[in-house]
Amino acid sequence: MNGTGVGPAGEKGTTMRTIARMTAAELLKLYRRRALMAWSVVLFVGGQIMFYGLGAMQHAADPAHHAPAGGPRGLANAMMLVSYLGGVAAVMIGTAAGGGDTAAGVFRDLASTGRSRIALFAVRVPAALLVTGVLAGLSFAVTATGAIVFAGSGTAPSAAVLAQCGLAVAVTIGVTTVLAVGLSSLLSSRSITIGLLLCWTLALARVLEHATGLGSLRAALSIAAEDRLVPVSVGGAYVVPTSMWSAALVLLAWAAVALAAGAWQTARRDA
């Protein structure tokens, strides 16, 4: 017990409560961005509803030329859609969490409270992941339901396939969120971070993934590792052959580098 009469267990409990309050404050900041939340719901959930709705109407109107909206084929297209649209939303949410305080000019006030700068950065990560996790869960619930309900006369995806698809969505969106938080904290600019990440995920990474001249180096691309998590029955053949464990290590490395860079910049930023 120290001079204040608080033992190690009490200090630990106080620290945990402080971290919980700081994380809750970061969550509140994100949820108060109504435009961001609204567009994120549209991208995550609205895109899936529109995809299955239009597909079901086309199949009902002309089943000879339009396959059922669900089933393995529909699930594959829906997974690609949630990867793109959900990825865009994850980038917006992650950059809001990572660079929002600096952009709003309140980082100086937060740093002046005496709280650890590393802690100020660290609580942004779970807050952003909680928001994107909830939205990704809702999105995949629509994805899985549509793949089963609108499978038609075809075979609906099995529970095992859906579980693996759900894991792929969770990891992909989670890594994208972490990259957005770390990079926006490093660059201190939301707009630049959004532009760079969207350029990388939607264009450059895909080009490099298909650049056969790079050989085995392509396995180090985050996009190639994310594709490996999708079942073959849904995503087809992998562009870059790699093991599941290798893909997991690649994604962990990308996330670790982004977090380290963001924490480093936050710790040295002038208050």
Side-chain angles (χ1 to χ4, degrees):
M1 185 173 293
N2 56 31
T4 61
V6 179
E11 292 179 352
K12 182 177 181 181
T14 300
T15 301
M16 294 300 295
R17 286 193 294 271
T18 300
I19 293 175
R21 286 196 296 268
M22 292 172 66
T23 303
E26 293 295 327
L27 272 173
L28 187 59
K29 290 178 187 177
L30 292 174
Y31 279 119
R32 281 180 173 175
R33 295 175 177 268
R34 296 183 179 179
L36 172 64
M37 292 296 99
W39 279 111
S40 296
V41 171
V42 169
L43 291 171
F44 265 114
V45 182
Q48 296 297 305
I49 294 175
M50 184 175 295
F51 168 75
Y52 281 115
L54 290 176
M57 287 190 290
Q58 288 179 330
H59 177 69
D62 189 4
H65 293 88
H66 296 282
R73 180 179 177 182
L75 178 60
N77 292 329
M79 285 287 292
M80 182 171 60
L81 190 65
V82 74
S83 174
Y84 285 129
L85 297 185
V88 171
V91 167
M92 295 193 303
I93 293 170
T95 54
D101 291 337
T102 303
V106 300
F107 180 77
R108 181 188 299 272
D109 297 331
L110 293 173
S112 65
T113 62
R115 290 173 179 168
S116 166
R117 294 185 175 209
I118 298 299
L120 290 174
F121 169 78
V123 295
R124 300 170 182 173
V125 180
L129 287 174
L130 282 170
V131 175
T132 56
V134 169
L135 293 175
L138 292 174
S139 177
F140 186 71
V142 176
T143 300
T145 301
I148 296 172
V149 172
F150 298 112
S153 58
T155 303
S158 66
V161 168
L162 290 175
Q164 190 172 347
C165 286
L167 176 63
V169 168
V171 172
T172 298
I173 296 301
V175 170
T176 301
T177 303
V178 170
L179 290 177
V181 173
L183 189 58
S184 60
S185 297
L186 174 66
L187 301 179
S188 303
S189 172
R190 288 189 63 201
S191 57
I192 294 177
T193 302
I194 290 174
L196 288 175
L197 284 179
L198 292 185
C199 177
W200 170 255
T201 58
L202 301 180
L204 183 57
R206 292 295 179 186
V207 172
L208 294 177
E209 186 182 25
H210 288 80
T212 55
L214 295 176
S216 60
L217 291 177
R218 295 178 297 161
L221 296 171
S222 60
I223 200 74
E226 291 168 357
D227 288 346
R228 178 63 181 84
L229 300 179
V230 181
V232 176
S233 60
V234 174
Y238 305 120
V239 177
V240 181
T242 184
S243 69
M244 187 70 76
W245 285 109
S246 296
L249 289 175
V250 167
L251 293 175
L252 284 174
W254 277 80
V257 169
L259 291 176
W264 171 78
Q265 178 62 12
T266 302
R268 66 184 295 272
R269 179 176 293 121
D270 292 334

